[in-house]
Amino acid sequence: MADIIQLLPDSVANQIAAGEVVQRPASAIKELLENSIDAGATDIKLIVKESGKTLLQVIDNGKGMSETDARMAFERHATSKIKSAQDIFEIQTKGFRGEALASIAAIAQVELKSKQEDQELGTVIKIEGSKVSSQEYGNTPKGTSIEVKNLFYNIPARRNFLKSNNVELKHIIDEFERLAIPHHNVHFSLIHNNSELFNLPILPLRQRIVNVFGKKFNEKLVPVNEETPILKLSGFIGKPEFSKKTRGEQFFFTNNRFIKNSYLHKAVCNAFEGLLNEDSHPTYFLFLEIDPSKIDVNIHPTKTEIKFEDERAIHTIIRTSVKHALGQYNIAPSLDFDTDPQFNVAPPPKGTIIDAPGITIDPTFNPFEDRRSNSKGRTALSPRVGIEKPAQQDWESLMNDLPNLEEHGTIQTELGIPQEEGLDSKIYLQIGGKYIFTKHRDGIIMIHVQRAHERILFERFKTSLKSHTSASQQLLFPQTIHFSAPDFELIKSLLPQLSSMGFDVDEFGKTELIVNGIPLEMEETSLNVIFEKLIENEKDFKNGIAEEQQEHIAKIMAKVSALKIGKKLEQSEMSNLVDELFACESPYISIQGKAVIVNLGSEDIDKSFN
Ligand code: ADP
Ligand code: MG
């Protein structure tokens, strides 16, 4: 038989290898940014079009490449960063495997321009699918520019696998932040579709964080500093009162490299214990400096998981240092931004009265109240404008028609018993601030108030999103909400949905929204939380199915706007709530999949007395 084994051509081998290094535009960007940092650049510009799908370009002012090196850089295993296997154990640079440029060039159209300080002319190389199409001299600035067009142009399957532009952009911003935060001695900028999302001047770490995440971070950060023989820990944690309802900004860096490590994450959470609500998350930016030989170096450069030799000790150091920092800040809250002389925020004019940050809560707010008489025209639980509602007078018969209540456990059906009482004669009892009890034929119905209200609001918001019919209340004083540039992009993409639900907002400036009106059933004080959650949801939202997205949004709105436990309710309010609940499509299951209504039949009651 003839021999059948052949060596794969380089271009094919590179293409296969590329799959490991470059999964999406963000991974190519990470590699290019890392190369620029390794080249000692102090100015790095990232330009992206269509979330990197059509163009991504990194321009740096680093040391550049010689003519030969520029050509060599695209060969597989071509690296200037290690010479022997031993070097890997002391690696100080971001890259070392010499695979990134070869991989990127295998699956895109690449143009490299590079010039070293002492060169008269730079080198310009064009390469496409691993094949060099031209190489010439060019009048280029010192440093390197790498332009990558049409990533995966020759692997359609991969290209089709890419997610929506929003999702890909989110990945890019993640990678950008993970590099820009630790390398605050480098000026970074990010331009997406001709609009500047970030421009981060060289400033100390604290200001870098503020420039990335927005001025609000100003007052949030508490420094952490601890030096032990095993490791040096530094950075910032977020004050507990600013913690987020959704996963906050959480960053670990080891020797300035972003890492993920759930065990160390738990150490931080542990230190915050008792200071945060159950559903809040700490913010942290923690930098571990540790002898590279104490880290498992057998890691793929594109992976962020990392193993430490002495994980338990590191856990303890992190936990105690964070606790210590929290304690310090409690005793001496003045250890604050103002003490950092380098921070370039202009002080307020003399005599300015500064309000303590805080949330205003209206203690008298009652979502069940009929507010038609007040200026907002709120009607809370009364029927909604423009939306068809099923008849709700007769919820007892609804209870009777339920085919498979048993599925939900405790609810039982008894068919055919005539309704003896009108609704008005019903008595509602509020128990424990949480439940409504009422008589139902020869038994008792128990309703979980918060879940019921969430269910009602959820279905309303969902209908609004689908039908674009909603009622809105105008705010007496329009509110301005400030976003970071990338968050603003996300929010902008949500504007149609927001307006469907009854928001009346205008874009203002480059990164602000003016809110003139909000949905009828929402409280003005929840505005910030809602936007925070919507943005977080949008970031996490990976599959891009419109319907699921609407469900998510409706859930967020319902959860934030729903009545909270402990609110005292009047008879009429309870009666309204119960009516509204039974007018829902699925009154029995909460939006979290738990029971909303439980029925105690006379048999169950009998049993309790046995
Ligand atoms: P690695 O970073 O692992 O060495 P890469 O494929 O990313 O491998 O890069 C190959 C080589 O090309 C690098 O070792 C470096 O010498 C050179 N290089 C890449 N990007 C730049 C840049 N922006 N400036 C200067 N040299 C660069
Ligand atoms: Mg590299």
Side-chain angles (χ1 to χ4, degrees), residues 186-213:
V186 177
H187 175 201
F188 278 95
S189 56
L190 166 51
I191 293 158
H192 180 242
N193 290 345
N194 299 323
S195 76
E196 188 174 75
L197 299 190
F198 292 94
N199 189 344
L200 311 171
I202 297 177
L203 282 169
L205 175 64
R206 183 167 193 150
Q207 289 88 307
R208 171 60 53 100
I209 294 172
V210 169
N211 282 331
V212 171
F213 295 105

Side-chain angles (χ1 to χ4, degrees), residues 35 65-80 98-103 105 112 125 127 146:
N35 280 347
M65 285 176 257
S66 73
E67 200 185 330
T68 328
D69 281 354
R71 183 71 173 254
M72 269 290 280
F74 290 104
E75 297 292 327
R76 209 132 59 92
H77 308 304
T79 178
S80 54
E99 278 183 328
L101 287 187
S103 298
L112 169 128
I125 295 180
I127 178 164
I146 300 185

Side-chain angles (χ1 to χ4, degrees), residues 471-489:
S472 153
Q473 49 173 329
Q474 288 298 303
L475 297 182
L476 220 45
F477 304 102
Q479 284 207 27
T480 308
I481 304 194
H482 182 85
F483 300 92
S484 68
D487 286 354
F488 192 61
E489 291 296 304

Side-chain angles (χ1 to χ4, degrees), residues 315-366:
H315 183 283
T316 311
I317 294 168
I318 291 179
R319 199 190 60 229
T320 42
S321 310
V322 171
K323 267 200 165 154
H324 181 74
L326 284 168
Q328 285 263 315
Y329 138 74
N330 271 335
I331 301 158
S334 57
L335 266 185
D336 215 344
F337 225 41
D338 304 338
T339 58
D340 192 336
Q342 301 210 58
F343 192 66
N344 61 350
V345 167
K350 264 217 171 92
T352 311
I353 298 161
I354 299 167
D355 290 335
I359 307 166
T360 24
I361 295 161
D362 174 6
T364 63
F365 169 61
N366 179 348

